[in-house]
Amino acid sequence: MSRIGKAPIEIPAGVTVTVKDNVVTVKGPKGQLEQAVNPDLDVKIEDGHVVVTRPTDDKEHRSQHGLYRALIHNMVVGVSTGYKKEMELVGVGYRASATGQVLELSLGFSHAIYLKLPPEVKVEAKTERNKNPLIILESDDKQLLGQVCAKIRSLRKPEPYKGKGIRFVGEVIRRKSGKSAGAK
């Protein structure tokens, strides 16, 4: 049995989960999310818990059992508490500013980069003196939030020699020593 798949998902107060025609809908204070589930798997709501069961021990059913349980759990957590990611810009002259759903980034290129973010993602840019600029992203959809963060990070990935680039707060970048360390 999948250890993740067989764990029941607790439904917190203020969250409603409905299953209709293999589509799981989760509503909560932060929003509403939907996820289509493989018709082979069975999703039931039993006394305040969501339980995902599989019909057989086929490889396909085993792999999807844990996957759909994790997706439903992420939806429940998203609509109840939400997800938040913080990214920092490390580099001289790197700046970020947010106007509505448009994020303007100055990353050392000859031009500024404008990113229009989806309406489900809330963005905030902070700039404090003597600290790296921060981009704070919040959403109820974990998958969409990760996709947006990956897109922002791909504009200027952290490089290993000086550590410049866009990275998550708390992320450790493995540094290389450069030319001078190997020459002897």
Side-chain angles (χ1 to χ4, degrees):
M1 261 318 261
S2 166
R3 289 184 185 162
I4 293 174
K6 69 180 179 182
I9 304 164
E10 187 176 333
I11 302 172
V15 175
T16 58
V17 179
T18 56
V19 182
K20 185 180 179 199
D21 298 331
N22 297 322
V23 176
V24 177
T25 307
V26 182
K27 292 181 188 173
K30 298 264 183 183
Q32 175 179 337
L33 295 171
E34 288 185 352
Q35 174 67 47
V37 178
N38 186 336
D40 292 344
L41 298 177
D42 191 27
V43 180
K44 292 180 187 165
I45 292 127
E46 299 172 351
D47 52 270
H49 290 80
V50 179
V51 180
V52 181
T53 55
R54 64 176 186 243
T56 65
D57 277 343
D58 291 346
K59 185 172 182 168
E60 184 180 343
H61 290 155
R62 283 196 322 258
S63 63
Q64 292 181 350
H65 188 206
L67 167 75
Y68 284 113
R69 188 262 177 211
L71 289 175
I72 295 168
H73 179 261
N74 288 343
M75 292 192 317
V76 169
V77 172
V79 297
S80 60
T81 59
Y83 290 100
K84 180 178 180 178
K85 296 238 184 191
E86 294 184 0
M87 304 177 88
E88 63 180 338
L89 282 64
V90 180
V92 177
Y94 286 13
R95 287 189 297 277
S97 64
T99 310
Q101 289 302 105
V102 178
L103 181 65
E104 180 186 354
L105 298 168
S106 176
L107 300 174
F109 296 118
S110 61
H111 58 283
I113 298 169
Y114 295 93
L115 275 177
K116 185 163 180 10
L117 301 177
E120 297 89 5
V121 178
K122 292 173 183 58
V123 64
E124 181 186 348
K126 283 187 181 176
T127 307
E128 292 183 31
R129 200 172 159 93
N130 296 328
K131 288 191 178 178
N132 294 328
L134 282 177
I135 302 169
I136 301 165
L137 300 160
E138 292 184 58
S139 179
D140 58 351
D141 191 346
K142 186 176 187 179
Q143 191 171 345
L144 180 68
L145 184 65
Q147 188 80 33
V148 170
C149 287
K151 177 64 178 166
I152 293 170
R153 183 184 160 100
S154 73
L155 298 172
R156 187 67 99 172
K157 286 187 179 169
E159 53 95 20
Y161 296 101
K162 292 185 179 178
K164 292 166 52 172
I166 302 174
R167 63 175 164 211
F168 295 104
V169 172
E171 181 183 5
V172 177
I173 304 298
R174 256 182 74 198
R175 302 290 294 271
K176 292 183 177 179
S177 56
K179 287 186 199 176
S180 60
K184 276 196 178 180

